[in-house]
Amino acid sequence: LTSIFGAKQKDAVMDVRLECGGDVVVEGLISKATSGTGLSTSDRQFLYLNKRPVDVPKLSKVLNEVYKGFNTGSAYPIFVLNVSMPFDRYDVN
């Protein structure tokens, strides 16, 4: 984490793990909701589905909006999140 985001950001993120419905798990790192922990751009936001990179604009938007509700300073959180779910529960197209 330090080599990718820098030493300052290491202390600005926290571990997260959410279990949704038993077979869906969201886990990774996200910025803490404290002043000065976010960024002015969204270039450090990474989403994965079963450890494969994905672009899910609606999910990114929700995460950004929730973060803005808790942090009036910087607009965008850092996040690296993996969503694990059975392969028959989603369509990659």
Side-chain angles (χ1 to χ4, degrees), residues 7-71:
K8 179 181 175 185
Q9 298 302 333
K10 178 186 169 208
D11 295 328
V13 296
M14 64 182 195
D15 292 321
V16 63
R17 179 177 170 84
L18 304 166
E19 294 185 29
C20 310
D23 57 354
V24 177
V25 178
V26 179
E27 59 187 334
L29 299 167
I30 193 164
S31 292
K32 295 177 183 175
T34 57
S35 181
T37 58
L39 301 172
S40 59
T41 64
S42 61
D43 64 341
R44 294 185 186 175
Q45 298 182 340
F46 303 95
L47 291 172
Y48 298 87
L49 178 60
N50 292 330
K51 299 184 181 178
R52 293 189 173 147
V54 293
D55 182 25
V56 185
K58 289 182 181 181
L59 180 55
S60 295
K61 183 177 180 177
V62 167
L63 290 166
N64 290 327
E65 292 299 319
V66 169
Y67 184 77
K68 286 180 189 178
F70 288 102
N71 189 339

